Amino acid sequence: DSGVTQTPKHLITATGQRVTLRCSPRSGDLSVYWYQQSLDQGLQFLIQYYNGEERAKGNILERFSAQQFPDLHSELNLSSLELGDSALYFCASSARDRGDFYEQYFGPGTRLTVT
Amino acid sequence: GQQVMQIPQYQHVQEGEDFTTYCNSSTTLSNIQWYKQRPGGHPVFLIQLVKSGEVKKQKRLTFQFGEAKKNSSLHITATQTTDVGTYFCAGGNYGGSQGNLIFGKGTKLSVKP
């Protein structure tokens, strides 16, 4: 158990809908990262928040947005869903702000299926 | 943009055989991390290499970082069924446009008992 929690575990929804994925980082970690994992693309970095502020942005679509709240939990909002958005979404956390230099602890993931 | 290529994509070995996965970057990396993801699980941090030419060992696992800091490898000696999973390298590019880890697509290892 990494100490990172994600809800829900599974999500099935229809095209065009909007969903929210939730993540709680390890106690004391200030950085939260979101990743998308699909079969053919591997782990794609989406976005990082550090202590409530956006720190780095990766291959995140405009239909996707995220935020980190004062209690440090984070939410990833996916809207106008398409079939291609079906994937496993991981949240990870680390203690510091440099996402490339500190060990990241991954949560169990949310499997999103868009039908 | 910056890419981290990992080969092979799949590797099937007999238990007891050795296994190696290779990671290559299009640009110089600040550091490299390795993660393991068991089937149905999440990535778990294994190790980080920072120095040019660095070699680190963890029991049967040997990690190397190239002299030019553009490539890395993970070698497992005498594989066991517990080694099954996907191994990812992730390059750090501090100061780059993404400012974060760039993951390779992983090498999926299966071990036949």
Side-chain angles (χ1 to χ4, degrees):
Chain A
D1 183 10
S2 65
V4 178
T5 60
Q6 287 186 251
T7 57
K9 196 168 183 178
H10 300 279
L11 199 47
I12 301 174
T13 189
T15 54
Q17 294 298 305
R18 171 191 165 98
V19 297
T20 298
L21 312 184
R22 184 188 167 103
C23 167
S24 291
R26 285 192 326 155
S27 176
D29 282 358
L30 298 178
S31 271
V32 169
Y33 312 81
W34 286 98
Y35 291 90
Q36 181 191 57
Q37 185 175 45
S38 53
L39 281 173
D40 57 343
Q41 291 297 321
L43 266 171
Q44 295 286 314
F45 167 67
L46 297 177
I47 198 163
Q48 177 200 358
Y49 278 83
Y50 175 74
N51 204 19
E53 303 219 345
E54 184 183 304
R55 176 67 71 167
K57 218 167 189 176
N59 301 317
I60 189 165
L61 299 171
E62 284 192 12
R63 300 183 285 109
F64 296 0
S65 65
Q67 54 184 326
Q68 186 179 29
F69 295 87
D71 68 352
L72 300 177
H73 91 270
S74 178
E75 291 181 357
L76 178 67
N77 300 296
L78 315 176
S79 62
S80 302
L81 285 167
E82 302 174 359
L83 295 177
D85 297 327
S86 295
L88 195 50
Y89 291 84
F90 284 109
C91 165
S93 74
S94 70
R96 307 286 291 275
D97 62 336
R98 272 190 60 181
D100 61 331
F101 206 71
Y102 293 95
E103 174 181 351
Q104 295 187 20
Y105 296 86
F106 283 75
T110 293
R111 181 165 294 282
L112 173 67
T113 303
V114 182
T115 62
Chain B
Q2 184 173 9
Q3 288 188 336
V4 172
M5 308 300 291
Q6 198 172 347
I7 56 169
Q9 191 175 357
Y10 301 95
Q11 185 79 57
H12 310 283
V13 300
Q14 193 78 34
E15 189 173 22
E17 291 181 340
D18 292 356
F19 159 76
T20 305
T21 173
Y22 301 90
C23 193
N24 290 288
S25 169
S26 55
T27 58
T28 301
L29 299 169
S30 52
N31 57 290
I32 196 152
Q33 297 183 0
W34 285 90
Y35 289 78
K36 177 184 178 181
Q37 184 176 16
R38 292 182 188 275
H42 57 272
V44 174
F45 175 83
L46 294 177
I47 208 160
Q48 173 166 269
L49 305 171
V50 179
K51 299 176 185 175
S52 168
E54 189 169 12
V55 179
K56 286 189 177 181
K57 292 190 176 185
Q58 287 180 350
K59 296 183 182 178
R60 295 179 295 103
L61 277 60
T62 302
F63 303 84
Q64 290 189 311
F65 201 10
E67 294 290 341
K69 300 181 76 172
K70 282 188 172 184
N71 57 74
S72 182
S73 65
L74 157 59
H75 179 82
I76 302 178
T77 303
T79 53
Q80 300 175 358
T81 54
T82 53
D83 296 325
V84 163
T86 301
Y87 292 85
F88 292 96
C89 62
N93 67 334
Y94 186 66
S97 59
Q98 287 194 354
N100 227 296
L101 285 175
I102 300 172
F103 279 80
K105 290 193 177 183
T107 296
K108 189 172 183 178
L109 172 65
S110 63
V111 179
K112 190 174 181 182

